[in-house]
Amino acid sequence: MGKFVLLAGSVKLAGNDLSNYGSSAELSLESEAEDATTFGSGGWQEFLAGLKSGSLKVKFKQDMANGALDSIMWPLFGTVATFEVKATQAAVSASNPAYSGNVLISQHTPLSGEVGKIVEADLEFQTSGAVARVTA
């Protein structure tokens, strides 16, 4: 596929498709680097992968209507919920993998904004457990 422009990403939390509210998404994963250097390392540091962690950052356009974003996010606040993100809203495939797992919904921003501006919620959730990459 090469290069592409993110136009219609997909974001789901607790089975709710929140793509129509999202304007940016970032799933970031990392592994701790544990120092495994010994006298036999020849003067070079050696590292092994340790604990893995991740975060999901999403910027939402807030909607307070009944059944919309605020009423979906409110009961999830303080819970661990499933997530799924994809680069496009098309079906999962080798060129459109889905990343999924669980996140701790430790943030909710019902209201943040300025006069005359669109109300947005810029949220970051920590992953809880393994993250999977599915291509079929």
Side-chain angles (χ1 to χ4, degrees):
M1 179 155 105
K3 301 171 188 156
F4 72 98
V5 175
L6 185 61
L7 296 174
S10 174
V11 177
K12 294 180 181 176
L13 285 175
N16 298 286
D17 188 347
L18 303 179
S19 304
N20 287 339
Y21 306 107
S23 60
S24 72
E26 176 185 327
L27 176 63
S28 177
L29 306 172
E30 66 180 68
S31 177
E32 291 180 2
E34 295 296 326
D35 192 340
T37 307
T38 66
F39 294 132
S41 297
W44 291 91
Q45 284 187 308
E46 294 182 50
F47 293 93
L48 295 175
L51 295 174
K52 297 174 185 170
S53 64
S55 66
L56 175 62
K57 297 178 187 176
V58 184
K59 182 179 284 189
F60 292 115
K61 307 296 186 194
Q62 185 57 282
D63 189 339
M64 305 293 250
N66 187 37
L69 183 64
D70 181 62
S71 64
I72 294 168
M73 293 300 297
W74 181 250
L76 297 178
F77 179 59
T79 70
V80 173
T82 60
F83 80 90
E84 179 189 85
V85 292
K86 298 184 298 182
T88 75
Q89 294 178 14
V92 173
S93 68
S95 60
N96 189 38
Y99 297 88
S100 62
N102 295 307
V103 289
L104 173 61
I105 309 293
S106 59
Q107 293 183 336
H108 178 51
T109 306
L111 187 59
S112 175
E114 301 175 35
V115 172
K117 302 290 182 183
I118 293 176
V119 177
E120 293 182 319
D122 201 358
L123 305 175
E124 181 174 1
F125 311 117
Q126 296 303 307
T127 59
S128 180
V131 174
R133 180 182 187 270
V134 177
T135 58

